[in-house]
Amino acid sequence: MIELLVPNDDILNQNQFLADEVRYNLIHRICESEGSTCLKTSDKNMIFAQSPGHKAWLWISQQITDNHKLTYIEELLCYLKGTTLSGVCGDAETVEKFANAYAQRHAAQVHTHMVMESYFCPKYKKPSDVEGMIRQSIPEDVQLVAQFIAGFSEEALGSSIDPVSQISVAEKAIGTGNMYLWIVNNMPVSMANIAHSNQTRPAMLSIAGPPLHLSMHFTP
């Protein structure tokens, strides 16, 4: 049976979901977003989460066999009857099954692509013998952060954008108090944004710096 999923729901802290949490960490943030559609099954084997204007995320427990997954997907599609989706993210095999079933119902075409990869750091060490220091960003950093965000978009996503268009994004990121800069010789050389934190780990987005530096999505 389909039920509503709420922030800090018990299903988000069960072992089955925690085993896959790194890849699905955005579900926590979606649950906290106003206007989101967040669902789960009463047996806690499936989660569907979508924020307005974005692709949905679909999680089905690894304990569910491939054939049985179709049963869950059909139940979800029946619940979502009349809802138009722009896409779905998650485990490749799971989302392929969902996409094909959705396409049959809506006479749609299926296109597969990857836009983001998550990395898990089970153990980390505090930097030693590394030049520089960390500093929380301040309003005076807004233009620099906007440049870093634009650079991140170009290097990580292949999309060239004007840094000026990211001023408001930078202001919002700095305003959260979760944007940090790495300073070397009084010069900011990279940034990292703590997108959100849950009971198990924080998730960091937009790790970026000057051109030719690696940008990624990272969950420590």
Side-chain angles (χ1 to χ4, degrees):
M1 184 173 70
I2 302 292
E3 302 176 351
L4 293 180
L5 176 71
V6 299
N8 300 316
D9 198 292
D10 288 344
I11 190 175
L12 300 175
N13 296 311
Q14 68 170 4
N15 291 334
Q16 290 175 242
F17 178 74
L18 291 177
D20 300 322
E21 185 189 26
V22 170
R23 286 187 293 169
Y24 293 91
N25 68 85
L26 286 180
I27 287 178
H28 291 281
R29 190 172 187 182
I30 295 172
C31 287
E32 298 169 354
S33 300
E34 185 177 353
S36 294
T37 300
C38 299
L39 309 169
K40 66 177 182 179
T41 51
S42 56
D43 62 5
K44 301 182 179 181
N45 283 321
M46 181 174 72
I47 292 175
F48 175 91
Q50 181 188 26
S51 55
H54 295 83
K55 294 180 175 62
W57 281 83
L58 175 63
W59 171 81
I60 298 180
S61 171
Q62 296 181 28
Q63 296 183 7
I64 304 303
T65 62
D66 286 344
N67 290 335
H68 200 189
K69 283 182 181 180
L70 290 174
T71 302
Y72 284 85
I73 288 171
E74 288 297 332
E75 181 181 6
L76 177 60
L77 287 172
C78 287
Y79 189 93
L80 295 173
K81 185 177 181 180
T83 301
T84 301
L85 301 175
S86 61
V88 63
C89 306
D91 172 74
E93 293 184 2
T94 299
V95 297
E96 182 179 12
K97 291 180 185 297
F98 179 90
N100 289 334
Y102 177 88
Q104 289 181 358
R105 287 171 176 254
H106 296 266
Q109 293 184 332
V110 177
H111 303 279
T112 303
H113 62 282
M114 185 182 78
V115 294
M116 180 168 53
E117 181 64 77
S118 297
Y119 299 88
F120 176 43
C121 178
K123 182 179 181 180
Y124 59 92
K125 298 180 180 179
K126 187 175 181 179
S128 61
D129 299 322
V130 176
E131 186 179 7
M133 60 178 290
I134 193 170
R135 171 173 69 76
Q136 189 177 40
S137 62
I138 57 178
E140 288 75 12
D141 297 318
V142 64
Q143 291 189 355
L144 176 67
V145 171
Q147 292 175 1
F148 281 166
I149 293 174
F152 174 87
S153 177
E154 183 171 358
E155 290 192 40
L157 306 177
S159 176
S160 179
I161 57 177
D162 185 349
V164 174
S165 68
Q166 299 303 301
I167 291 293
S168 61
V169 178
E171 290 175 339
K172 183 177 180 180
I174 293 173
T176 65
N178 292 326
M179 177 67 76
Y180 290 85
L181 301 174
W182 189 260
I183 311 297
V184 177
N185 296 327
N186 295 319
M187 177 70 68
V189 297
S190 63
M191 71 173 187
N193 179 40
I194 302 176
H196 63 90
S197 298
N198 54 51
Q199 296 179 6
T200 57
R201 58 178 67 87
M204 300 175 65
L205 292 168
S206 302
I207 300 176
L212 302 182
H213 283 245
L214 180 63
S215 301
M216 65 180 70
H217 170 236
F218 183 73
T219 303

